[in-house]
């Protein structure tokens, strides 16, 4: 009796722990009508042959071709969707000036729904083509355009977690890009939450509203408090920026006489469904607070090289028990690819470990034990992201969503250097992680549905 809607036969890579990648050679992945992985069957299992005979030759059976491999879809924990319009540009100023010179003027234009539509369709399509099956988005302050972004995720099949941004403090925001007042900011947020929850009723892969104070400097105390209360009332995800740069970190210390992490906590903004971007300047007490509340760090390594004045001690935070995922931070980070960000995460961690100033003696140059491996970066981009969002995504395992990317290592324009038919599979994994380009991402599936294919 055929009961699975799809069965895939493939060699796959999935994190079994932060440091270990499991190689599932020629496994069967049995998908049910809800788009979940119901059963994972290895060649040694009793029912492998039986299932193969049952499904092979049916339209529900998909065998990956030679040179093709499965990875979990990536989970981008920090994307500013409107900033896609300026990706690759505007990288010459520090954070505060960058926001006021380029970013607030750009985001203010999203009051125009047609302008918003073009850019939001572009960014969702681009992220899917880069293997990102789930994204945690900042939209803008505009309720209608933010809802449009959620609808575009829903239509294109991406799992979108979307926030209407709140910025209501006249001291720190321009007149033409600010919530009308605190009450309006909170009322618009509540209406946005209800509208997205309504939309979600008909979206297989899920779409979620997210409480989104831009960062403490943009928001009044009343707004931060009100947003904490709304998050509790509707049990939503929460996102913001925390201790990103010297300026942002010091601003909060000056205003509250405490670190960003504790200030956010006072407003009810840290919890199991909270994801804070950057967090470069967390001290050990802040990290402990994150670990105790279940708050995750979205590590944005490319962006950090431009705006964070530092390399985040990501290995140290992880060792302290903080949940970690990876973010592109478009457009602070120029790349829509989490492959690019995994690579930068490894590179930056090695530069922190060794240090960068050659005029210092080797033993004084770096911060020992700061390195992460490509396995850990892959974990952050997949399973770590899923844990950060408290969703069953990011692993190729039973009861997880069928969110995958099919990587083709053989295509002519982007052939990976694999010259032996029995190349060590861990080497294949590493070559994919370091060398794959968007051309190699042949198909992308979310919740059991194909949402992207490149012929
Ligand atoms: N802090 C406040 N807003 C932003 C933003 O848009 N990008 C980054 N990188 N940091 C921020
Ligand atoms: Fe950001």
């Amino acid at each position: 009796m055929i009961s699975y809607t799809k069965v895939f036969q493939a060699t796959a890579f999935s994190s079994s722990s932060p440091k270990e990648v499991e190689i599932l050679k020629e496994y069967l992945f049995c998908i049910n009508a809800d788009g979940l992985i119901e059963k994972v069957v290895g060649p040694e299992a009793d029912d492998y042959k039986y299932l193969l005979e049952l499904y092979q030759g049916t339209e529900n059976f998909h065998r990956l071709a030679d040179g093709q491999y499965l990875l979990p879809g990536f989970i981008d924990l920090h994307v500013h969707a409107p900033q896609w319009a300026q990706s690759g540009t505007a990288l010459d100023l520090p954070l505060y000036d960058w926001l006021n010179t380029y970013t607030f003027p750009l985001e203010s234009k999203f009051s125009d729904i047609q302008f918003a539509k073009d850019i939001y369709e572009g960014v969702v399509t681009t992220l899917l083509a880069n293997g990102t099956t789930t994204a945690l988005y900042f939209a803008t302050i505009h309720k209608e355009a933010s809802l449009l972004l959620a609808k575009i995720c829903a239509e294109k099949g991406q799992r979108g977690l979307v926030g209407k941004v709140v910025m209501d403090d006249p001291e720190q925001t321009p007149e033409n890009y600010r919530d009308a007042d605190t009450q309006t900011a909170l009322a618009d947020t509540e209406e946005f939450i209800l509208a997205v929850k309504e939309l979600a009723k008909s979206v297989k892969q899920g779409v979620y509203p997210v409480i989104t104070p831009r960062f403490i400097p943009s928001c009044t105390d009343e707004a931060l408090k009100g947003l904490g209360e709304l998050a509790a009332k509707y049990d939503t995800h929460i996102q913001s920026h925390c201790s990103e740069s010297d300026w942002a970190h010091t601003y909060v210390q000056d205003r509250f006489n405490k670190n960003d992490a504790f200030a956010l906590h006072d407003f009810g903004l840290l919890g199991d469904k909270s994801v804070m971007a950057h967090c470069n300047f967390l001290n050990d007490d802040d990290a402990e607070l994150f670990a105790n509340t279940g708050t995750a760090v979205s590590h944005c390594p490319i962006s950090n090289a431009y705006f964070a004045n530092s390399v985040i001690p990501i290995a140290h935070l992880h060792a302290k028990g903080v949940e970690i995922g990876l973010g592109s931070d478009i457009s602070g980070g120029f790349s829509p690819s989490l492959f690019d960000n995994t690579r930068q995460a490894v590179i930056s961690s090695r530069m922190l470990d060794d240090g960068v100033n050659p005029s210092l003696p080797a033993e004084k140059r770096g911060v020992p034990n700061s390195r992460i491996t490509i396995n850990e970066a892959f974990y952050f981009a997949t399973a770590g992201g899923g844990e950060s969002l408290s969703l069953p995504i990011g692993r190729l395992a039973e009861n997880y969503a069928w969110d995958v990317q099919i990587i083709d290592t053989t295509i002519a324009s982007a052939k990976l250097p694999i010259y032996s038919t029995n190349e060590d599979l861990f080497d294949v994994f590493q070559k994919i992680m370091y060398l794959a380009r968007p051309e190699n991402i042949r198909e992308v599936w979310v919740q059991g549905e194909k949402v992207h294919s490149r012929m």
Side-chain angles (χ1 to χ4, degrees):
M1 191 197 77
I2 295 206
S3 62
Y4 302 121
T5 55
K6 291 175 190 76
V7 173
F8 287 77
Q9 186 182 31
T11 295
F13 304 101
S14 180
S15 289
S16 52
S17 75
K19 290 188 199 298
E20 287 159 333
V21 174
E22 194 177 13
I23 298 168
L24 303 157
K25 189 176 177 192
E26 293 279 318
Y27 268 56
L28 298 178
F29 298 90
C30 306
I31 316 305
N32 68 23
D34 295 329
L36 296 174
I37 304 171
E38 192 163 314
K39 212 161 188 306
V40 178
V41 185
E44 309 303 324
D46 291 343
D47 47 355
Y48 188 84
K49 263 209 168 111
Y50 165 77
L51 282 166
L52 204 52
E53 277 165 19
L54 199 59
Y55 283 91
Q56 229 167 9
T58 71
E59 61 175 11
N60 300 333
F61 186 77
H62 304 253
R63 181 186 157 74
L64 267 59
D66 288 351
Q68 296 186 353
Y69 299 90
L70 272 182
L71 296 183
F74 288 143
I75 298 162
D76 191 333
L77 279 194
H78 189 56
V79 191
H80 294 271
Q83 296 175 25
W84 176 235
Q86 67 178 14
S87 276
T89 68
L91 291 167
D92 58 327
L93 295 177
L95 181 61
Y96 179 87
D97 301 313
W98 174 82
L99 286 171
N100 288 290
T101 307
Y102 303 116
T103 303
F104 292 160
L106 168 63
E107 292 190 13
S108 73
K109 296 186 199 161
F110 283 69
S111 53
D112 177 343
I113 284 284
Q114 189 54 47
F115 182 75
K117 183 168 184 284
D118 289 346
I119 293 156
Y120 285 164
E121 286 185 342
V123 72
V124 174
T125 303
T126 302
L127 290 186
L128 283 172
N130 279 277
T132 296
T133 47
T134 296
L136 177 56
Y137 288 110
F138 278 56
T140 61
I141 66 168
H142 312 99
K143 188 179 55 181
E144 285 78 18
S146 302
L147 184 57
L148 178 65
L149 174 58
K151 285 181 180 160
I152 290 169
C153 292
E155 278 162 22
K156 292 190 181 290
Q158 188 178 54
R159 187 175 300 95
L161 298 93
V162 180
K164 175 217 129 35
V165 174
V166 169
M167 6 191 325
D168 71 323
D169 189 346
E171 294 280 310
Q172 288 288 331
T173 54
E175 198 176 356
N176 70 345
Y177 191 50
R178 164 194 313 155
D179 289 295
D181 54 54
T182 307
Q183 284 322 311
T184 309
L186 295 174
D188 281 358
T189 299
E190 188 158 17
E191 282 172 35
F192 175 76
I193 291 169
L194 293 170
V196 175
K197 280 183 174 285
E198 189 58 36
L199 172 67
K201 289 178 183 165
S202 59
V203 180
K204 185 179 181 189
Q205 76 276 13
V207 58
Y208 303 82
V210 185
I211 290 285
T212 308
R214 183 175 203 114
F215 63 159
I216 281 182
S218 298
C219 297
T220 61
D221 290 13
E222 297 71 38
L224 293 163
K225 181 167 172 288
L227 290 175
E229 288 165 1
L230 281 175
K233 179 172 175 187
Y234 292 104
D235 187 27
T236 64
H237 290 82
I238 301 171
Q239 62 181 344
S240 192
H241 299 82
C242 178
S243 293
E244 174 180 2
S245 68
D246 284 312
W247 167 73
H249 181 61
T250 311
Y251 171 94
V252 178
Q253 288 176 327
D254 291 346
R255 179 162 145 194
F256 291 111
N257 209 16
K258 59 182 71 167
N259 278 0
D260 213 337
F262 280 86
L264 289 163
H265 187 49
D266 288 348
F267 291 113
L269 294 167
L270 298 192
D272 203 35
K273 289 162 85 175
S274 299
V275 177
M276 294 297 146
H278 306 291
C279 302
N280 283 51
F281 292 93
L282 293 196
N283 67 21
D284 280 356
D285 289 341
D286 300 333
E288 215 164 280
L289 179 64
F290 267 48
N292 289 339
T293 54
T295 302
V297 168
S298 168
H299 174 29
C300 307
I302 296 180
S303 171
N304 284 353
Y306 291 86
F307 294 110
N309 314 118
S310 60
V311 172
I312 187 174
I314 203 69
H316 178 67
L317 293 177
H318 202 214
K320 285 256 158 207
V322 178
E323 287 178 353
I324 313 250
L326 216 55
S328 63
D329 192 27
I330 287 169
S331 65
F334 55 79
S335 173
S337 163
L338 281 197
F339 278 111
D340 285 347
N341 276 282
T342 57
R343 295 159 195 162
Q344 186 64 47
V346 173
I347 293 168
S348 294
S349 77
R350 295 185 73 120
M351 295 177 83
L352 180 63
D353 192 292
D354 276 346
V356 294
N357 183 349
S359 68
L360 293 174
E363 66 279 7
K364 291 201 174 145
R365 207 177 291 142
V367 182
N369 304 317
S370 294
R371 290 178 180 208
I372 61 165
T373 61
I374 195 70
N375 289 8
E376 287 167 284
F378 170 70
Y379 173 85
F380 295 156
T382 56
E387 285 163 15
S388 298
L389 294 172
S390 305
L391 292 173
I393 54 176
R395 291 175 199 268
L396 299 174
E398 288 172 7
N399 300 318
Y400 280 72
W402 184 246
D403 292 2
V404 299
Q405 32 184 337
I406 298 177
I407 306 297
D408 189 342
T409 61
T410 70
I411 58 167
S413 62
K415 195 169 162 6
L416 300 195
I418 297 168
Y419 291 102
S420 159
T421 48
N422 60 352
E423 174 125 357
D424 177 77
L425 284 171
F426 183 58
D427 286 346
V428 171
F429 168 75
Q430 293 177 84
K431 286 176 179 176
I432 289 172
M433 289 309 297
Y434 276 110
L435 298 172
R437 303 208 304 244
E439 298 95 299
N440 298 104
I441 304 174
R442 195 65 182 256
E443 290 181 11
V444 178
W445 294 66
V446 178
Q447 203 83 35
E449 303 292 332
K450 196 197 293 185
V451 296
H452 168 77
S453 70
R454 181 186 291 272
M455 281 308 131

